[in-house]
Amino acid sequence: MTEEPIRRPIGRNEWLLVAASTVIASALASLWSWRHDAMLNYGDAVAHLHIARRVFDSHRPGLSQLGSVWLPLPHLLLISFVRVYAWWADGIAGMIPSALAYVAGCAGVYRLARHWLRPSAAVVALAFFALNANLLYLQTTAMTEPLFLCEMVWLAVWLVEWRGALNNDPPRAARLLSGIALVLVAAVFTRYDGWILAFLAWTSVGIVQLRTSTLRSRTFWIASAAVVAAPLIWFAYNGIVFGDWLDFARGPYSAAAIEIRTAIPGSGPPHPGWHNPWVSLIFFVKCAEMDVAPESWGNLTLGLALLGAAWGWLTTHRRAFQWTLLLWLPIPFYAYSIAFGSVPIFLPVWWPHSWYNTRYGMEMLPAFALGLGFVAQFTLAVFREFKRILVPLAATAIYAIVAVNAWAVLRDHPLTYVEGTKNIESRRSFEVEIPPVLRSLLATRPGSLVLMETSVYPNLVAFTGIPLRQTINESDKEYYSAALAAPDAHAAIVVAFDGDEIDQAVKAHPNGLRLVRRFDAPGQKSGTVYVSDTPTGTKAAER
């Protein structure tokens, strides 16, 4: 039962099967998402596409349009695809890099598992990861989770391989070290989880280099400079562009500021787990369980994954396997972040019985998949030892259980998909009703500028069929400030939502503006469209 796996390289046919199966799964999920108009359900996905588009389509194009809160790599990867207007408007631009990250992540999970597991058990890890309905849905959107999961998985793969090559193949170890540094820089520029991941991983690499007397390696110090420079570049960017090197953490759009604005005075803690690490831990673990398995199977799945990780620790070369423990890092990270980092998670089974940030639990999917792969390896080894004739039947049963688990998650409606549908419900009426009105007004005022905020409902622009540079919005800074001082003189059409800066400007400077229509939506601030009777609205450049 402690047999070593067959350590032959992964064959070409083996890789082709992995690639073909994951590409097919990705394509089918993307087709389903497209046919059900689900690619743009998440407001955050729409916002990611919007940020990438405004880097080149705005009055002030450039990297300053990347904003200060969300890290830049996902948006930089989107730029090539959002240049196609139709792909920006319908969400296909977001699906392409996410789907590529999904396929690469699946390949990484299989490669990682095959370091210790036979193909029959490695397939279990791959299938558990690749068939997860939440991941299959997210990889059809512009959300950042598929990219970050890919980075986590390949970091583990290359760390394991680097440790194995360090003493036996120094040139290969040097190449792998460069890859490790590259993926850590990518993680730092993808999610803030990546900052902690980079710190722990690279500190551990340095300790190993010290213990093996390879700390003087030129590659290590060049790679160290890149890893250290990544967060410093983000600090500098925030300081130069927004005047505060910590604007992403304490600026007006930061998580802390949003928590303060949305908190109801006298109503108690703003969310479950607030300043309570134990409750935060329970919420995150429950979220992770519900993301990877049906609720009734959650504790069992977690227990088996932990047992599998322990079995791997006991039966493999620990110097290599210990790097996979980084896959469990999201548990302490989110336990702290929920308690003290203004990062709430809401689950439908617990108060306040809602869906919010349920996708965060997806970061545990690689750890679950690898742990369950080891459980499958152990189970099949038991049958080989005591009842070899039943090995094919046992393998079939294990595969069936993985398939049933994937089907059960889908049957119970994946948390991330449900959250997305709840998310779009708050925007749907505005996105359906306002664009036709804007198109009809622009038909008589071709090329005219529209004064509107685009951060809350960015799809109003895409669905209207105009470029972003035909709007004056909050990212235009001095143009926007001037327009707020005299709305009728700077734009032919004004879109305001109750209480926003444009609404306040219209109330302060109503002259020359004529109300066209009011729009209402349940639970949302009403919107109003005005036209300017002042014939001085400037025109945008042609798209």
Side-chain angles (χ1 to χ4, degrees), residues 234-249:
W234 191 239
F235 287 138
Y237 167 84
N238 274 256
I240 293 170
V241 176
F242 300 99
D244 181 0
W245 67 290
L246 284 175
D247 189 75
F248 64 90

Side-chain angles (χ1 to χ4, degrees), residues 123-132 292-293 301 365 368-369 372 402 405:
V123 165
V124 172
L126 172 63
F128 189 84
F129 183 88
L131 295 179
N132 181 269
V292 304
T301 305
L365 183 58
F368 276 82
L372 293 175
V402 173
N405 177 79

Side-chain angles (χ1 to χ4, degrees), residues 292-341:
V292 304
E295 185 190 356
S296 59
W297 292 15
N299 290 337
L300 175 62
T301 305
L302 174 62
L304 289 174
L306 287 169
L307 287 174
W311 183 250
W313 176 266
L314 293 172
T315 60
T316 64
H317 297 296
R318 294 182 187 177
R319 286 183 177 179
F321 183 82
Q322 64 187 0
W323 296 102
T324 67
L325 299 181
L326 287 170
L327 298 177
W328 294 87
L329 178 62
I331 290 181
F333 175 84
Y334 277 102
Y336 176 86
S337 297
I338 295 170
F340 306 109

Side-chain angles (χ1 to χ4, degrees), residues 328-491:
W328 294 87
L329 178 62
I331 290 181
F333 175 84
Y334 277 102
Y336 176 86
S337 297
I338 295 170
F340 306 109
S342 304
V343 180
I345 289 179
F346 296 162
L347 299 172
V349 294
W350 291 342
W351 181 87
H353 304 290
S354 184
W355 290 259
Y356 189 61
N357 289 335
T358 57
R359 63 191 184 278
Y360 290 166
M362 291 300 300
E363 291 191 16
M364 290 304 303
L365 183 58
F368 276 82
L370 185 61
L372 293 175
F374 273 97
V375 171
Q377 175 95 333
F378 172 80
T379 303
L380 293 175
V382 169
F383 277 94
R384 287 191 189 96
E385 184 76 17
F386 299 107
K387 208 72 173 179
R388 181 172 290 270
I389 194 173
L390 295 179
V391 169
L393 183 61
T396 301
I398 292 172
Y399 300 150
I401 291 171
V402 173
V404 169
N405 177 79
W407 173 82
V409 173
L410 186 63
R411 177 203 61 195
D412 293 347
H413 305 295
L415 285 183
T416 59
Y417 175 70
V418 175
E419 181 181 347
T421 60
K422 301 291 183 183
N423 200 289
I424 198 174
E425 285 174 2
S426 64
R427 315 187 320 266
R428 192 185 303 276
S429 61
F430 287 152
E431 292 180 350
V432 170
E433 296 175 9
I434 295 178
V437 173
L438 295 180
R439 285 195 295 269
S440 66
L441 293 173
L442 288 167
T444 60
R445 303 166 178 82
S448 296
L449 291 173
V450 181
L451 174 60
M452 62 187 299
E453 288 192 0
T454 58
S455 59
V456 180
Y457 303 107
N459 262 0
L460 295 182
V461 180
F463 292 171
T464 299
I466 60 175
L468 279 170
R469 63 180 176 273
Q470 198 173 332
T471 70
I472 303 175
N473 60 70
E474 64 276 20
S475 69
D476 293 323
K477 294 192 175 180
E478 64 270 17
Y479 301 104
Y480 183 64
S481 298
L484 292 179
D488 66 309
H490 288 80

